Amino acid sequence: MMPVPPPARKRLGQHFLVDLNIVRKIVALAELHPDETVFEIGPGRGVLTRALCAEAKRVIAVELDVQLGEYLRETMRDCGHLELRSGDALEFPYEELPERTVVVANLPYYVSTPLLFKLFEARARIDRMVLMLQTEVARRLVARPGTEDYGILSVLTQYSAVAKLAFPVSANCFRPRPDVGSSVVSLVLRRRPDLAVHDEARFVRTVRASFAHRRKTLANSLLDEGLPQNHVRQALAQAGIEPKRRAETLTLQEFAILAEALSRPGAGPQPKADG
Ligand code: SAM
């Protein structure tokens, strides 16, 4: 007898795909080759996992919900090349993934932003990603400077990848139905970003500090993050950036130049690591 799946836990972002047409569209977008490895976050009841197993050489899937993990172990026995791991995808040892892994996932929305940052950090091992996200987050990924959606996530996404909005997905395609809109996004990771960023951690800190006080000018946002006034003035002047501008108007290139300028000798303390 087939085991009964455990009830959905909304707290864990459990909105399961029930529309097989959407599953097929996601897998088609990933353009998997039979020799590739796929990493899936949150296999849930396994609908996407099964379709991925049909296309890829190896599927590594990490599920936080222990009961769902047990259910999957029972129901996916026939997928010999599936490696199920129990645990939090935020704690996953990404360095263990083989090179050029393809990430395909219907992400748990409550934790999608930190998961995206984790995946970008691990991009040396990732070739491309096809991700279901809350539409609001998907829009931020591809937002251009000067728009309302443009923020930390846009800058770090576009620094790490070429991102495209692929297609929207109706709430009717999930059980239980989510209260928010959903969209699928494709991302091709940049092995070596185009920009001259010598210290990536510092670049990230600069972007975070610049957006920390979104309604303030760039200069004031950096000052409020504890950077000395002279240093901020000097760095903005060196970078050729008008201090009255707001972070959301800066291009990727300008953030890179600003990060470099803030690091110059005599520049004083750097933006806080956890800002
Ligand atoms: N892939 C399935 C599908 O498309 O039907 C389920 C997707 S559901 C939106 C998200 C899944 O992620 C759930 O199975 C949930 O238990 C799991 N999950 C939630 N938080 C997680 C985390 N931090 N690490 C790994 N899995 C997580």
Side-chain angles (χ1 to χ4, degrees):
M1 224 172 56
M2 280 290 277
V4 179
R9 293 203 219 173
K10 284 199 183 175
R11 189 176 59 82
L12 290 183
Q14 292 179 359
H15 297 280
F16 302 109
L17 265 173
V18 290
D19 185 325
L20 290 180
N21 193 35
I22 298 297
V23 172
R24 274 191 288 273
K25 278 178 79 172
I26 292 172
V27 176
L29 193 61
E31 295 188 72
L32 295 169
H33 300 282
D35 59 342
E36 285 185 311
T37 296
V38 175
F39 178 66
E40 186 190 7
I41 293 173
R45 293 178 180 169
V47 66
L48 184 56
T49 321
R50 191 166 279 285
L52 293 170
C53 283
E55 302 278 329
K57 182 178 79 175
R58 183 178 172 203
V59 176
I60 304 167
V62 59
E63 175 55 62
L64 182 62
D65 185 325
V66 176
Q67 277 181 295
L68 265 180
E70 284 165 9
Y71 170 79
L72 282 170
R73 274 190 186 84
E74 279 293 307
T75 53
M76 303 289 287
R77 279 175 199 273
D78 55 320
C79 297
H81 49 304
L82 169 64
E83 292 168 37
L84 270 174
R85 311 263 185 106
S86 294
D88 185 343
L90 285 172
E91 308 288 329
F92 187 84
Y94 287 90
E95 66 284 357
E96 286 177 14
L97 290 177
E99 274 188 23
R100 309 194 73 84
T101 293
V102 184
V103 179
V104 182
N106 172 13
L107 288 182
Y109 295 169
Y110 77 99
V111 74
S112 62
T113 301
L115 281 172
L116 282 163
F117 290 137
K118 269 277 159 205
L119 292 165
F120 292 147
E121 263 173 41
R123 70 173 189 279
R125 313 210 72 78
I126 301 173
D127 186 65
R128 58 195 188 279
M129 312 201 275
V130 175
L131 304 175
M132 175 92 72
L133 291 163
Q134 185 176 339
T135 299
E136 192 190 304
V137 175
R139 281 213 202 101
R140 279 197 246 147
L141 258 53
V142 299
R144 311 311 301 174
T147 64
E148 210 181 305
D149 289 332
Y150 188 69
I152 298 171
L153 193 56
S154 326
V155 177
L156 298 186
T157 299
Q158 291 162 38
Y159 170 73
S160 311
V162 177
K164 287 193 185 133
L165 273 183
F167 54 88
V169 180
S170 155
N172 293 326
C173 300
F174 305 86
R175 291 290 180 282
R177 283 166 49 102
D179 297 329
V180 294
S182 300
S183 293
V184 172
V185 177
S186 79
L187 301 112
V188 177
L189 281 300
R190 299 182 201 268
R191 300 211 127 200
R192 257 186 234 106
D194 303 341
L195 294 176
V197 169
H198 298 111
D199 179 341
E200 219 168 273
R202 189 176 58 217
F203 172 72
V204 173
R205 289 200 300 274
T206 302
V207 175
R208 287 186 186 279
S210 304
F211 279 106
H213 307 275
R214 212 182 151 95
R215 307 210 175 280
K216 298 195 171 175
T217 62
L218 183 59
N220 283 339
S221 190
L222 293 170
L223 293 178
D224 280 7
E225 285 304 281
L227 298 185
Q229 195 163 30
N230 280 347
H231 174 38
V232 169
R233 270 208 202 122
Q234 204 182 0
L236 285 169
Q238 276 173 10
I241 297 170
E242 168 61 40
K244 286 211 164 67
R245 284 175 64 185
R246 286 170 203 273
E248 66 257 35
T249 68
L250 263 65
T251 62
L252 256 180
Q253 182 75 39
E254 287 176 315
F255 276 116
I257 296 169
L258 178 60
E260 287 301 304
L262 283 168
S263 74
R264 300 255 156 77
Q270 300 296 302
K272 283 179 279 188
D274 56 350

